[in-house]
Amino acid sequence: MSIYPKLFIPGPTHVPKSIMDILSTPQIGHRTEEISKLIESILLDIKALLYTSNNIYLVSHAATGLWEMGLRNSVQKGVLHCVNGAFSSKWVKVSEACSYHYNVIDYEWGRGVKAQDIDKMLSTGDYDVLAMVHNETSTGVMSNLEEISELMRTKYPDVIWLVDAVSSMAGIKIEIDKLGIDFILSSTQKAWGLPAGFSICSVSDKMAERSKLMENKGYFLDIEVYEKYFSKFQTPSTPSIPHLFGLREVLNIINKEGLNNRWDRHKEMRDYTIDWAISQGQNLFSEEGCHSHTITCIENNQNWDMDKIYNKLLERGYRMDRGYGNLRGKAFRIPHMGNIYMEDLKDFISEFEKVIHV
Ligand code: PLP
């Protein structure tokens, strides 16, 4: 058995050796025709995966930096944050640190973001930006983007809509152009199934126009700078070239699988995990209608000894999750995304079952 347990935590997720090997492809120059061809082909496939003609940027840092990019290129009047878990809550800290005028719609953890609550707050006219997390990794809650899109398109077409899709992009179908999302971001260590430290975002024309009007947006996260380089299929600074090779490989795998098959696979793994949890007498932490396709958060109402299960699974070659922050031991998460296929999930759950009562 490998000294490295197979990861069943909600990021970084499992990356098989075949993909890790691709990351050690020899370096190429970042101002060469070779890299431009590589980037162009990656952007083309990401646009197809996200059903968009918006500009896509590849960014060599964690997604947290893109929270800031979204805000710095859009907030003039104020930003309304929807908070329903740990990551949406952390995003607020960025607005606070950047001294933006902001307000928060606060949900009980486990609940999804609702269009009517957004409507109530945006109708004040105090905000020109809405920020929300599509898939709250801390709670396994996936909010309904269609419902929010309907509201944004019909009543608030001038408000910039920022969406964190860190643990949903590439695992759940998100039709950006149809939904009208202005800025959506993800990092690679979740459903993309690559190592951490690299991110992807999509920027609408509306967002790019807003960016041009912004003062004090700095240089590193300026969308105008990004656009200047990406129009030549290059990056503003030296990128993580191994991640580019890795992304190319993952996109090849995705293309072979087919997008609809990929979305279905994630949904099937979600259903399997939910059925298993219910059959064990456990409940789901996420509210009905908001169960994520990429991660299931299970309320531990059977009082399983999660530390014991964790240690026993480690002995068997798996690292599991015991729950985020204060939820530790009370609600644990089973991720099922990216390079995890039904067989991997079944193997994990079968090992899990063996150690529940030993
Ligand atoms: N947003 C969500 C929903 C996340 O789950 C995470 C990390 O787990 C982040 C943002 C932060 O991503 P990164 O660590 O790439 O900055």
Side-chain angles (χ1 to χ4, degrees), residues 89-285:
S89 171
K90 232 174 151 186
W91 199 352
V92 178
K93 290 202 167 92
V94 182
S95 282
E96 204 175 289
C98 293
S99 305
Y100 292 126
H101 167 60
Y102 72 88
N103 208 339
V104 168
I105 306 176
D106 221 344
Y107 292 92
E108 197 187 331
W109 283 29
R111 299 258 166 219
V113 174
K114 303 290 183 309
Q116 71 260 29
D117 302 322
I118 295 173
D119 191 15
K120 212 151 99 196
M121 294 295 281
L122 288 186
S123 66
T124 60
D126 289 346
Y127 314 99
D128 53 2
V129 177
L130 172 72
M132 63 171 286
V133 172
H134 175 216
N135 198 62
E136 244 305 343
T137 319
S138 57
T139 58
V141 166
M142 178 177 74
S143 291
N144 187 332
L145 292 180
E146 279 79 18
E147 199 184 286
I148 297 162
S149 160
E150 172 74 17
L151 172 76
M152 299 305 283
R153 282 184 293 111
T154 54
K155 284 187 80 174
Y156 304 103
D158 296 331
V159 172
I160 297 277
W161 184 18
L162 314 177
V163 177
D164 170 321
V166 165
S167 56
S168 53
M169 191 187 284
I172 300 172
K173 185 178 191 178
I174 304 172
E175 294 179 274
I176 292 181
D177 287 358
K178 207 161 126 191
L179 292 165
I181 300 169
D182 293 301
F183 183 78
I184 187 164
L185 64 106
S186 176
S187 39
T188 46
Q189 74 275 19
K190 312 275 187 191
W192 286 101
L194 282 167
F198 197 83
S199 311
I200 294 161
C201 65
S202 149
V203 176
S204 72
D205 290 345
K206 185 170 110 195
M207 176 88 176
E209 286 308 310
R210 174 70 65 87
S211 172
K212 287 183 191 155
L213 304 175
M214 298 299 295
E215 286 167 10
N216 300 324
K217 58 183 164 171
Y219 175 84
F220 192 59
L221 300 172
D222 182 357
I223 282 173
E224 281 187 88
V225 174
Y226 265 83
E227 187 39 36
K228 185 174 147 218
Y229 284 90
F230 269 84
S231 61
K232 297 180 286 185
F233 303 112
Q234 290 188 4
T235 51
S237 48
T238 323
S240 170
I241 295 160
H243 273 100
L244 293 176
F245 287 124
L247 204 47
R248 185 56 270 161
E249 175 65 10
V250 164
L251 286 162
N252 291 343
I253 294 169
I254 293 174
N255 290 343
K256 223 177 265 169
E257 182 176 19
L259 288 179
N260 287 333
N261 292 337
R262 188 171 181 89
W263 314 139
D264 288 347
R265 167 164 67 91
H266 284 80
K267 248 187 277 175
E268 281 158 18
M269 292 194 294
R270 186 270 310 263
D271 292 345
Y272 183 87
T273 310
I274 289 180
D275 287 349
W276 174 76
I278 302 296
S279 77
Q280 296 292 318
Q282 301 279 35
N283 284 342
L284 297 179
F285 188 76

Side-chain angles (χ1 to χ4, degrees), residues 274-310:
I274 289 180
D275 287 349
W276 174 76
I278 302 296
S279 77
Q280 296 292 318
Q282 301 279 35
N283 284 342
L284 297 179
F285 188 76
S286 44
E287 75 169 298
E288 199 49 45
C290 292
H291 306 319
S292 163
H293 299 179
T294 53
I295 176 167
T296 300
C297 189
I298 300 166
E299 210 172 73
N300 184 20
N301 63 340
Q302 293 293 318
N303 281 320
W304 289 345
D305 183 339
M306 297 316 297
D307 288 336
K308 197 185 74 187
I309 294 171
Y310 175 86

Side-chain angles (χ1 to χ4, degrees), residues 50-109:
L50 295 173
Y51 307 88
T52 189
S53 56
N54 283 348
N55 288 334
I56 304 291
Y57 302 137
L58 309 174
V59 184
S60 296
H61 56 69
T64 300
L66 291 184
W67 280 344
E68 191 159 334
M69 180 190 263
L71 297 168
R72 282 197 181 276
N73 287 275
S74 66
V75 184
Q76 291 182 315
K77 248 197 270 182
V79 49
L80 178 64
H81 282 276
C82 305
V83 172
N84 62 339
F87 294 99
S88 38
S89 171
K90 232 174 151 186
W91 199 352
V92 178
K93 290 202 167 92
V94 182
S95 282
E96 204 175 289
C98 293
S99 305
Y100 292 126
H101 167 60
Y102 72 88
N103 208 339
V104 168
I105 306 176
D106 221 344
Y107 292 92
E108 197 187 331
W109 283 29

Side-chain angles (χ1 to χ4, degrees), residues 307-335:
D307 288 336
K308 197 185 74 187
I309 294 171
Y310 175 86
N311 287 323
K312 292 276 175 206
L313 278 174
L314 258 188
E315 286 168 14
R316 289 164 180 257
Y318 288 104
R319 188 174 300 281
M320 69 166 288
D321 168 75
R322 286 171 281 185
Y324 189 95
N326 290 337
L327 293 177
R328 175 108 171 233
K330 295 184 204 135
F332 63 100
R333 299 167 298 171
I334 298 184

